[in-house]
Amino acid sequence: MVVRAVDVLSDEIVKMGIGEIFGIPGGQIMPLFDAFYGKGIKIFLFRHEQGAIHAADAYGRVTRKPGVVLVTSGPGATNLATGLANAMMDSSPLVALTGQVPTSVFGRDAFQETDIIGLSIPIAKHTFMVKKPEDLVPMFKAAYRIATDGRPGPVVVDLPRDVQLSEVKEVRGEDYVKVSYKGIPEPDPGLVAYAVKLLMEAERPVMLVGGGVCWSNATEEVLAVAETLWMPIVTTLPGKNCVPNNHPLFMGPAGMHGRVEADAAIMNSDLVLAVGTRFSDRTVGDFREFQRGRRIIHIDIDKSEIGKNVKPSVGIIGDAKATLRMMLELLPKAAVKNEQFVNWLRSIKEAYEKFRETSDMPGFAPWRVLKVIREVTPPQAIVATGVGSHQMWSELHWDVYVPGTFITSAGLGTMGFGIPAALGAKVARPNVPVLDIDGDGSFQMTMQNLALVREYNLPIIVVIFDNSALMLVRHWQMLLYGRRIIAVDFQANPDFIKIGEAYGIDGVRPSNYDELRSSVARAIRNNEPLIVDVTIDRERDLVLPWVQPGKWLSEVVLPEGFKVNLRYGDA
Amino acid sequence: MMNSYRINLTLLNMDGGLDPLVRALNVVRRGKVNVKAITVSFNRDAVNVDIYVEGVEDEVNWVCNKLNKLYDVANVSYTASISIPKAQALLMGERNG
Ligand SMILES: Cc1ncc(C[n+]2csc(CCOP(=O)(O)OP(=O)(O)O)c2C)c(N)n1
Ligand SMILES: [Mg+2]
């Protein structure tokens, strides 16, 4: 019997302990699907390839191992484009295996021939085109390793059908494939010492935590450094996922859709210690203003991030955990603590919380919906989101207690990420409740994948912030385009409860907070799927505070009726 | 300040494929530098690329740092370049090589 390249690969995949694959078959990837027959690998058959790749992305974020997605050539492969870019922007590890037409017809516009490598080179961490059967296993193994080497990301392996079906005559080791691995750079002790000196000199240092802290598993070190110096912690959107949001030094995410206390912390700081962040324009707003009158220490594993958007006083290339550990050794245990600054920021936080507690709007208020759901959701529950105002409300008002439990499309802002991400997270952690905080627009982009809930028993809870609008765009139209509202209001949305019903999922349209609370609590308790359609008035669903793109944090637009002085020392 | 630079790039060569080169050029495409000339030669194990650019050093640095991240890039460096080779010289090089 001929041993096909795909047989060797599927055996190897089993040996590597990869137990789950997300995908959809088709002509050019049939050999590899066939090779998995009877091998005990669980294949999650999605209803759209975009769903499969977002699920693999979320699976990778939860397990810290690359998710594997398997699709056919042409449309199967092109349907991955958004998912690849999404994983790239959020540094999420995955391996995408794509079928390809036989090498003999390359370039002949064969049926379902697409140059997926050419298409994905700019949006993937790396790509492999497998041209020889012997290369298949070593290239897959290299791809799997690259996905988590240094800064994680997506890798594409394109598999022509003839290569898949050919006999492997010679077994080749992984090092047969030429790859320049990047590994983890050692932080420069001299730079670390200098950074510590600057930290000690600072009066109002602030730590800015990015998503890199999660990947480096550096939460403990972040808290230890912050506590030693009594330094307020602010985050990026992905960074919100990396520190417990109920820590006394946590001031929340800063920037466009950030918390005022976080903006105030940065505005009034004389030093920012930035860890594992690329300084997104969404966090910083105005790069020039950010660098004025304030020292910046930047720690990142990716050398190309140092100096890319912000020129730091010290740039340290290294793993966050290792670098912060070095800092901790140099920091005096009894460093001077500026308690006053933290107390002032906390007073802003408390004032804002109080304002939200006492303000209301007819129907459901987004911040209160999140609060009520949080109350009945265990700390280790995982929350995925769609993209839009509901996501920004979650950035502002969803408290992450356990790092790694908040999964959102931050860098690419991909509507439709929520449902498949929740499914991928549920595959990774079947015993943990998984929720998707979604928008009615985002929901409709990938809702066909709800079929997997019953197909594979993946009971996720989807809470739709149903404002019958593409609210975040509407918000911009109101504030930046003189209320010229165009192409954002849905006049004929489907009935989401009926959609749920069609997929065998219970639905509820609560009429008050108690009903919301009890229905979510029951679904969690019984590990049952649920669709919660929360009606929100689009005329009032304005997610604030908000900083206009390109503007400095001091120009934050506050919710009506909330006043606060953001200049430290003025009070 | 705008200056001329030569970026020297060594790519890993597997079977003479063009993907490593395309990947590298895709990075250069996104850099804020003006490309004046590119020379490429394929050897058994490596592809040697010289990219002559005009731009500010910061941007050249950006390009080099991004190139350095690629998994088929073995080496990247840049130097201030005094002169950009003329098309004719490049052609000669091709003939001789
Ligand atoms: C795939 C995609 N298309 C378009 C956008 C632009 N966009 C950003 S937010 C948004 C509105 C999202 O609507 P919905 O999911 O209902 O959330 P809401 O803002 O109403 O809470 C749009 C269209 C996007 N981010 N992603
Ligand atoms: Mg909406």
Side-chain angles (χ1 to χ4, degrees):
Chain A
M1 198 184 99
V2 176
V3 179
R4 306 166 300 179
V6 283
D7 298 319
V8 186
L9 177 64
S10 58
D11 285 343
E12 193 61 42
I13 285 178
V14 172
K15 232 190 283 168
M16 286 166 77
I18 299 168
E20 289 105 357
I21 286 180
F22 308 91
I24 301 182
Q28 308 302 346
I29 197 66
M30 281 178 71
L32 185 50
F33 270 91
D34 178 70
F36 282 123
Y37 188 82
K39 293 219 168 121
I41 286 234
K42 199 144 193 209
I43 295 177
F44 292 89
L45 176 59
F46 274 72
R47 300 306 197 257
H48 190 295
E49 287 85 356
Q50 185 190 353
I53 192 166
H54 288 331
D57 174 327
Y59 179 93
R61 295 188 204 205
V62 173
T63 60
R64 292 157 184 259
K65 290 187 300 192
V68 177
V69 53
L70 184 56
V71 301
T72 193
S73 68
T78 55
N79 272 349
L80 294 185
T82 304
L84 289 171
N86 192 79
M88 187 72 177
M89 289 289 261
D90 283 351
S91 309
S92 190
L94 64 85
V95 176
L97 297 165
T98 53
Q100 183 55 277
V101 298
T103 49
S104 57
V105 293
F106 266 30
R108 304 299 132 107
D109 300 327
F111 177 64
Q112 295 192 331
E113 179 182 8
T114 300
D115 176 13
I116 189 64
I117 296 294
L119 180 89
S120 60
I121 277 177
I123 51 170
K125 187 175 179 188
H126 196 65
T127 60
F128 287 108
M129 161 59 72
V130 187
K131 289 202 181 132
K132 287 180 276 183
E134 293 77 28
D135 292 351
L136 182 50
V137 166
M139 280 185 173
F140 175 78
K141 288 177 106 171
Y144 198 78
R145 183 171 158 196
I146 289 171
T148 50
D149 179 64
R151 180 177 179 171
V155 183
V156 177
V157 185
D158 200 25
L159 314 171
R161 196 181 64 210
D162 55 330
V163 175
Q164 296 180 59
L165 290 170
S166 298
E167 192 178 354
V168 178
K169 298 229 171 69
E170 177 196 341
V171 178
R172 285 173 173 168
E174 194 189 326
D175 43 359
Y176 167 76
V177 181
K178 287 185 198 161
V179 176
S180 159
Y181 286 103
K182 304 303 163 185
I184 298 173
E186 277 297 312
D188 178 333
L191 291 177
V192 174
Y194 182 53
V196 167
K197 178 178 170 287
L198 296 187
L199 267 172
M200 299 301 299
E201 285 170 11
E203 283 177 25
R204 291 175 311 283
V206 168
M207 177 137 40
L208 173 63
V209 168
V213 166
C214 290
W215 290 114
S216 153
N217 205 7
T219 302
E220 209 179 297
E221 288 73 14
V222 159
L223 297 180
V225 169
E227 284 166 15
T228 304
L229 294 166
W230 210 240
M231 219 177 169
I233 300 170
V234 306
T235 72
T236 63
L237 173 54
K240 177 185 170 68
N241 185 28
C242 310
V243 277
N245 294 187
N246 51 352
H247 189 279
L249 290 171
F250 180 78
M251 300 300 156
M256 184 177 287
H257 293 284
R259 298 275 301 210
V260 255
E261 60 270 31
D263 295 343
I266 290 193
M267 278 165 55
N268 293 284
S269 65
D270 58 351
L271 181 145
V272 169
L273 169 60
V275 191
T277 170
R278 62 187 155 90
F279 292 112
S280 150
D281 48 302
R282 289 234 153 178
T283 306
V284 173
D286 181 337
F287 288 111
R288 202 177 303 163
E289 203 54 52
F290 181 66
Q291 293 172 94
R292 198 200 305 270
R294 134 175 347 95
R295 284 169 160 166
I296 290 152
I297 302 168
H298 189 187
I299 302 170
D300 206 285
I301 197 168
D302 181 347
K303 184 180 173 200
S304 77
E305 291 301 345
I306 308 282
K308 184 182 84 177
N309 288 339
V310 165
K311 305 273 169 276
S313 313
V314 199
I316 302 170
I317 306 156
D319 170 56
K321 192 181 188 78
T323 311
L324 292 172
R325 281 206 169 161
M326 278 171 90
M327 284 187 157
L328 278 167
E329 290 195 358
L330 298 175
L331 279 170
K333 296 284 165 290
V336 184
K337 296 175 174 174
N338 189 343
E339 292 190 5
Q340 228 179 351
F341 184 46
V342 171
N343 290 346
W344 176 71
L345 293 170
R346 290 183 59 82
S347 73
I348 298 177
K349 180 184 174 123
E350 279 154 24
Y352 175 73
E353 295 277 330
K354 196 158 167 218
F355 166 77
R356 283 298 181 203
E357 254 164 54
T358 50
S359 55
D360 208 350
M361 59 189 243
F364 286 99
W367 59 91
R368 191 155 300 151
V369 170
L370 291 168
K371 194 162 179 231
V372 164
I373 297 173
R374 179 76 274 191
E375 280 164 12
V376 294
T377 307
Q380 76 279 12
I382 296 172
V383 162
T385 78
V387 166
S389 295
H390 62 283
Q391 178 195 28
M392 300 309 146
W393 283 119
S394 307
E395 176 174 13
L396 284 163
H397 289 277
W398 180 261
D399 285 332
V400 177
Y401 298 134
V402 177
T405 56
F406 183 66
I407 299 177
T408 196
S409 168
L412 196 67
T414 311
M415 287 173 70
F417 181 70
I419 291 173
L423 291 169
K426 194 68 184 172
V427 170
R429 295 274 179 274
N431 299 322
V432 166
V434 177
L435 284 83
D436 166 30
I437 307 288
D438 224 329
D440 51 325
S442 296
F443 178 89
Q444 292 182 75
M445 287 207 177
T446 50
M447 66 184 185
Q448 69 278 48
N449 297 298
L450 284 173
L452 277 83
V453 168
R454 288 301 178 192
E455 186 101 49
Y456 302 107
N457 188 27
L458 299 170
I460 56 169
I461 297 169
V462 182
V463 181
I464 305 169
F465 281 38
D466 187 358
N467 45 26
S468 296
L470 299 170
M471 193 59 223
L472 199 61
V473 177
R474 196 177 207 272
H475 168 135
W476 284 38
Q477 287 175 352
M478 286 164 77
L479 297 179
L480 296 175
Y481 290 84
R483 299 190 71 92
R484 289 154 66 92
I485 307 294
I486 177 169
V488 287
D489 291 344
F490 296 127
Q491 310 302 346
N493 255 347
D495 181 334
F496 297 124
I497 304 294
K498 283 195 181 148
I499 299 248
E501 212 176 281
Y503 289 110
I505 304 169
D506 275 353
V508 58
R509 191 173 290 122
S511 47
N512 55 52
Y513 290 106
D514 284 340
E515 218 179 302
L516 169 70
R517 182 183 291 110
S518 60
S519 53
V520 173
R522 191 178 330 111
I524 290 177
R525 197 168 50 240
N526 299 338
N527 198 22
E528 267 297 318
L530 182 70
I531 286 178
V532 190
D533 185 358
V534 180
T535 312
I536 292 176
D537 180 357
R538 68 175 171 225
E539 295 305 327
R540 293 167 211 263
D541 183 9
L542 211 53
V543 58
L544 298 172
W546 176 68
V547 182
Q548 201 175 313
K551 287 277 162 65
W552 180 229
L553 305 174
S554 59
E555 292 181 57
V556 59
V557 179
L558 296 172
E560 210 182 298
F562 178 63
K563 280 210 176 58
V564 67
N565 181 4
L566 293 179
R567 291 239 313 256
Y568 183 61
D570 272 9
Chain B
M1 203 182 52
M2 296 282 274
N3 269 318
S4 298
Y5 297 90
R6 181 176 62 109
I7 298 171
N8 177 253
L9 191 59
T10 311
L11 305 171
L12 300 170
N13 188 9
M14 273 195 79
D15 308 326
L18 283 180
D19 290 353
L21 180 64
V22 171
R23 202 185 321 277
L25 292 184
N26 256 310
V27 170
V28 182
R29 264 179 72 223
R30 305 289 292 172
K32 293 181 203 126
V33 292
N34 298 320
V35 177
K36 296 293 170 186
I38 298 179
T39 68
V40 185
S41 60
F42 285 75
N43 305 322
R44 208 174 62 92
D45 291 322
V47 180
N48 248 301
V49 190
D50 279 320
I51 308 166
Y52 297 85
V53 300
E54 228 174 53
V56 294
E57 190 159 9
D58 244 18
E59 292 299 327
V60 177
N61 242 315
W62 179 93
V63 170
C64 289
N65 284 337
K66 285 277 185 192
L67 288 170
N68 218 349
K69 285 174 64 163
L70 303 181
Y71 283 82
D72 33 28
V73 166
N75 199 45
V76 192
S77 61
Y78 73 89
T79 47
S81 138
I82 318 296
S83 64
I84 292 167
K86 299 234 161 49
Q88 193 57 33
L90 294 181
L91 272 176
M92 291 296 290
E94 216 169 78
R95 256 184 240 140
N96 296 338

